[in-house]
Amino acid sequence: MTHTRCPIALFLMLSSLHWLVASKDEVPAINSKDALITNLSKRPVLQPKETVPLQSTYTLKKQGKVCVRSTLGVEFVVTENKKKYYFNINPSSTRATGYCGNQKTVLSLEFDGGHLEFTFIKEGDVSYVKTIKGLLQPAPTCKNCQNKTYVGVMDHEKLFKAKNGLSFQCNSETKLILADYFRIKLVLLQIQAFGLVNGEFGKEVECWEDYNKRMIPIILGAVAVAICLIAILTYVLVRERRGRGYEQL
């Protein structure tokens, strides 16, 4: 009886050891969608109608000095079942995190249920935003709807480009596509990551949208004036020629 139990006990021990070793390699992946939620009661609530997001200023410091500064309002736009829903970042519950380097700076606007991250690159005498990442974990849009996480990224870009020491400014709406179902809208944007003096923005570099809005009325006005002058000159010349023709008769 004793000899029969020994092989069985040994077999059970080896099986248990094998299960323990195997379980280390087969640990189920953590569901990041659930892990990233810090406070379920403060999850973003999607709205069916669009409103203007509140503008605020976010900064990071390195060794006591402001190394990146951003003033903007942020709106997330998600598409679900061919319908658009909106969420605006609330400045009072948003915090700036990240780090500042000599050639690379990361600014992340963090809030319960999501974030928006900007990666700045300094290249020669210019700087720009290379990558924008967004994540939003809103409350379900209905009682029976599932929890969803919206993630998107724009990479290998040269957005908001400006010479070092200057800030990029755009009063027009800036719409960026992070994914087919996930977009962001930035309003009243001014941003700078390198060469801030006393923590303040440098001279503004105007975006194309603002430039076009400013120049198009001027161009149209100049064209209208030119057309009026041409019409007047044409009328004067025709009248003068007719007058000369009557004199010859």
Side-chain angles (χ1 to χ4, degrees):
M1 188 72 177
T2 305
H3 293 290
T4 305
R5 290 180 178 178
C6 288
I8 295 174
L10 182 60
F11 175 78
L12 292 174
M13 291 176 62
L14 291 174
S15 299
S16 300
L17 181 62
H18 173 75
W19 181 84
L20 289 172
V21 173
S23 63
K24 291 181 180 180
D25 297 331
E26 297 173 3
V27 173
I30 296 175
N31 190 337
S32 60
K33 295 181 180 180
D34 296 332
L36 289 171
I37 299 175
T38 58
N39 192 328
L40 291 175
S41 64
K42 295 183 179 180
R43 292 173 65 179
V45 178
L46 297 176
Q47 302 296 327
K49 293 185 179 180
E50 192 173 12
T51 57
V52 179
L54 296 176
Q55 185 190 40
S56 187
T57 298
Y58 307 92
T59 61
L60 287 181
K61 290 185 178 181
K62 181 180 180 181
Q63 298 177 349
K65 296 182 179 180
V66 176
C67 55
V68 58
R69 186 180 185 92
S70 176
T71 298
L72 74 168
V74 181
E75 179 185 70
F76 288 86
V77 184
V78 301
T79 302
E80 188 65 38
N81 296 326
K82 298 182 179 180
K83 293 183 179 180
K84 288 186 178 181
Y85 297 91
Y86 308 90
F87 172 74
N88 294 346
I89 284 183
N90 185 354
S92 63
S93 58
T94 302
R95 56 200 175 275
T97 64
Y99 65 89
C100 294
N102 295 328
Q103 305 296 327
K104 181 180 178 180
T105 292
V106 175
L107 171 66
S108 182
L109 306 182
E110 307 275 349
F111 54 92
D112 287 315
H115 67 257
L116 183 63
E117 181 182 286
F118 301 86
T119 299
F120 299 83
I121 297 296
K122 183 179 179 181
E123 191 175 85
D125 63 343
V126 298
S127 61
Y128 53 85
V129 172
K130 177 179 179 291
T131 305
I132 297 180
K133 297 179 181 179
L135 181 145
L136 188 66
Q137 293 180 296
T141 55
C142 64
K143 291 183 178 179
N144 298 324
C145 294
Q146 296 180 349
N147 292 324
K148 290 192 176 182
T149 298
Y150 301 92
V151 181
V153 61
M154 287 188 69
D155 200 5
H156 304 293
E157 300 288 341
K158 291 189 177 182
L159 302 171
F160 316 142
K161 191 173 181 181
K163 287 188 177 181
N164 295 328
L166 303 182
S167 64
F168 180 91
Q169 185 180 53
C170 195
N171 293 320
S172 302
E173 295 180 353
T174 302
K175 298 179 180 179
L176 302 173
I177 302 174
L178 304 186
D180 292 339
Y181 53 85
F182 190 36
R183 306 182 180 195
I184 60 170
K185 184 171 73 174
L186 310 178
V187 298
L188 300 175
L189 170 69
Q190 189 170 7
I191 199 165
Q192 184 178 349
F194 302 99
L196 287 94
V197 179
N198 297 323
E200 299 297 328
F201 286 122
K203 186 178 179 181
E204 302 86 1
V205 173
E206 189 178 36
C207 65
W208 275 108
E209 291 80 2
D210 288 355
Y211 176 80
N212 289 335
K213 285 183 178 180
R214 181 169 56 84
M215 293 302 298
I216 287 177
I218 296 175
I219 293 172
L220 292 177
V223 170
V225 170
I227 292 174
C228 290
L229 290 175
I230 292 173
I232 292 171
L233 289 174
T234 302
Y235 172 77
V236 171
L237 291 174
V238 169
R239 185 176 180 181
E240 185 178 350
R241 288 183 179 179
R242 287 181 178 177
R244 289 180 181 177
Y246 291 137
E247 289 178 1
Q248 290 177 359
L249 292 175

